[in-house]
Amino acid sequence: MIAQRPPMGFNTWNCFCGDINENQIKEIADAMVSSGLLDLGYEYLVLDDHWMAPERDSEGRMYADPQKFPSGIESLIDYVHSKGLKFGLYSCAGMLTCGSRPGSFQHEFIDAQTFAKWGVDFLKYDNCQKPNGIEDHLLYRRMAMALRNCGREILFSACSWGEYGTHDWARNSGTNMWRSTGDIQDNWVSMRDIAMSQFAYSTHNAPFSYNDLDMLIVGLYGKTHIGLQGCTDEEYQTHFALWSLMTSPLMISCDIRNMNEVTKTILTNKELIDINQDIEGRQGYAWKISKDAEYYGIAKALSNGDYAFGLFNFTDNDCTITNSLNIKFWDIGLPLGCGYGFEMRDVINHKDVGLMKEFVTVNLKAHACAVFRGKLVKYE
Ligand code: GAL
């Protein structure tokens, strides 16, 4: 059974764009293992656009660009599998990909069979260059049907950018994750706006089909083609906390061969990953915790009865003592004076912070967050 939990892995697009090749992908595979990412659950290594040759072969099959992958895709897949990783490829619902390589329209079944024969485990399916006259969701239903009958378990990652009511058809069309927004850019506003745009959809996430908030931008630092602004480390931390509490797939997109220590610390926070990967797959629900400022709380119910709580300062100002952020447990279902409270643990700083009876309060810098895991306890 695939995608019981939000899928985790690495995707080439944000960091490398079309500049991919077989040695580099092998090095990425090696780094996913040696850095400990695989052990934490980052298991899919996904090649995005531009992996394929510009034309199909004489039998109408896609094949890998021989300039980039001179040994062929199957030997690369074998290598990736030999490391204990799973391998993903990219195609598109239209005639051509966004990068003008062959798309899968009218080739859905032959492509699914080809991918299965090669040993592919994951397909990202994009939304460019589609024909007129066919409804969007039907193109995704086609590929879902082809993949579900190709003889191999292949995770289906729909990349329909939230268009044409993706939320309403993606899950029941057989996808395993579905992009609910346009492309993330490597800056604070893009990341924050993607998260906030999905607060209203917290009931759509569940095991086997997850709302994909797009790849993680942690560690890009404004050096790639998706944004020259970049984020601060604090903003990248907030980003990872949001994706964890909102139960998004976690697809790394920085060059993991040379991550700095902060990037590694953020991406390998096991306590946050455990919250993201909770088996019930519930998305945290969000609400505004101040009338006067863009301060938000997110609470996620976990399978063992614990709750994860996030507090987020989305404003551009540090918060002061007088307007500190405050989650009242009343708002998540705890009656006042009931004798229960939460034994809290700070999962970003990895320390226990004790019993909180009615609320938790923090002061946060601009764009910062705090995340706690709380265990309900009776204190009187
Ligand atoms: C976009 C997609 C990106 C990336 C790119 C490749 O449509 O949203 O994530 O896959 O195409 O061309």
Side-chain angles (χ1 to χ4, degrees):
M1 287 288 180
I2 41 179
Q4 291 191 57
R5 302 169 196 261
M8 296 172 66
F10 166 86
N11 177 299
T12 53
W13 182 251
N14 288 347
C15 192
F16 303 120
C17 193
D19 193 12
I20 48 179
N21 66 68
E22 84 187 20
N23 286 338
Q24 163 211 53
I25 299 301
K26 285 182 176 173
E27 286 171 15
I28 295 279
D30 295 348
M32 284 176 82
V33 177
S34 62
S35 59
L37 291 172
L38 173 61
D39 286 342
L40 286 162
Y42 294 99
E43 59 180 345
Y44 291 100
L45 194 174
V46 181
L47 308 194
D48 208 282
D49 207 349
H50 298 273
W51 66 267
M52 63 283 265
E55 307 285 344
R56 289 175 179 271
D57 70 12
S58 56
E59 291 171 357
R61 291 185 193 274
M62 275 188 200
Y63 63 103
D65 187 330
Q67 311 269 319
K68 296 174 179 172
F69 303 100
S71 315
I73 201 76
E74 283 171 280
S75 85
L76 182 61
I77 295 176
D78 285 349
Y79 184 85
V80 169
H81 283 163
S82 76
K83 297 281 159 183
L85 294 158
K86 294 182 175 164
F87 185 86
L89 284 178
Y90 161 103
S91 185
C92 185
M95 283 88 76
L96 296 172
T97 70
C98 302
S100 300
R101 301 271 164 153
S104 290
F105 177 64
Q106 300 292 49
H107 294 81
E108 292 86 355
F109 287 80
I110 190 175
D111 286 353
Q113 281 157 17
T114 307
F115 299 150
K117 181 170 151 286
W118 290 345
V120 170
D121 307 294
F122 180 116
L123 180 70
K124 174 173 172 180
Y125 206 50
D126 213 344
N127 199 33
C128 282
Q129 315 258 11
K130 288 170 304 184
N132 292 326
I134 297 191
E135 287 173 81
D136 209 65
H137 63 269
L138 287 178
L139 298 176
Y140 285 88
R141 284 188 183 159
R142 282 184 180 198
M143 187 48 103
M145 186 185 288
L147 290 175
R148 295 167 77 80
N149 293 281
C150 70
R152 185 177 174 87
E153 276 198 325
I154 299 184
L155 189 152
F156 188 25
S157 164
C159 180
S160 53
W161 311 326
E163 287 192 352
Y164 310 101
T166 299
H167 300 85
D168 295 329
W169 53 258
R171 181 179 178 79
N172 57 16
S173 295
T175 69
N176 298 115
M177 55 194 263
W178 34 276
R179 275 274 300 282
S180 47
T181 70
D183 288 15
I184 195 166
Q185 300 293 305
D186 182 19
N187 65 65
W188 162 255
V189 172
S190 166
M191 184 282 289
R192 179 203 60 194
D193 288 355
I194 284 180
M196 291 180 80
S197 75
Q198 299 308 300
F199 287 171
Y201 296 105
S202 67
T203 57
H204 289 60
N205 245 338
F208 305 114
S209 191
Y210 287 97
N211 183 346
D212 175 10
L213 308 187
D214 205 357
M215 290 165 263
L216 296 165
I217 54 171
V218 181
L220 295 182
Y221 295 110
K223 292 189 196 133
T224 76
H225 69 113
I226 67 147
L228 300 177
Q229 197 174 347
C231 293
T232 63
D233 287 330
E234 189 121 64
E235 291 166 346
Y236 286 137
Q237 176 63 77
T238 297
H239 166 41
F240 194 73
L242 284 165
W243 266 231
S244 297
L245 285 162
M246 293 178 72
T247 311
S248 174
L250 300 176
M251 300 299 291
I252 296 172
S253 71
C254 67
D255 189 344
I256 57 170
R257 294 171 300 180
N258 38 51
M259 292 181 281
N260 68 20
E261 276 311 306
V262 179
T263 297
K264 194 169 169 194
T265 301
I266 293 172
L267 294 172
T268 59
N269 182 333
K270 183 161 178 350
E271 293 192 84
L272 273 177
I273 292 172
D274 285 348
I275 289 167
N276 171 269
Q277 293 284 296
D278 186 77
I279 191 63
E280 290 187 357
R282 298 180 196 279
Q283 179 172 328
Y285 53 88
W287 73 105
K288 207 159 173 240
I289 53 181
S290 159
K291 281 201 300 294
D292 310 318
E294 293 288 294
Y295 299 160
Y296 281 85
I298 298 184
K300 174 169 172 162
L302 300 170
S303 52
N304 70 344
D306 289 2
Y307 281 75
F309 307 96
L311 295 95
F312 294 87
N313 180 357
F314 285 152
T315 76
D316 297 332
N317 303 310
D318 298 350
C319 89
T320 61
I321 300 286
T322 46
N323 63 357
S324 52
L325 291 88
N326 197 325
I327 284 188
K328 297 182 185 66
F329 298 148
W330 169 271
D331 286 327
I332 63 159
L334 191 70
L336 289 176
C338 65
Y340 285 91
F342 284 98
E343 202 60 69
M344 304 285 271
R345 179 167 171 80
D346 175 338
V347 296
I348 291 181
N349 299 301
H350 307 293
K351 53 178 192 224
D352 295 331
V353 291
L355 176 69
M356 310 275 163
K357 295 181 178 171
E358 312 281 356
F359 55 84
V360 56
T361 301
V362 292
N363 283 312
L364 293 175
K365 292 196 175 131
H367 304 180
C369 74
V371 184
F372 301 95
R373 184 172 181 132
K375 176 165 286 309
L376 194 70
V377 291
K378 187 140 179 66
Y379 61 84
E380 62 182 31

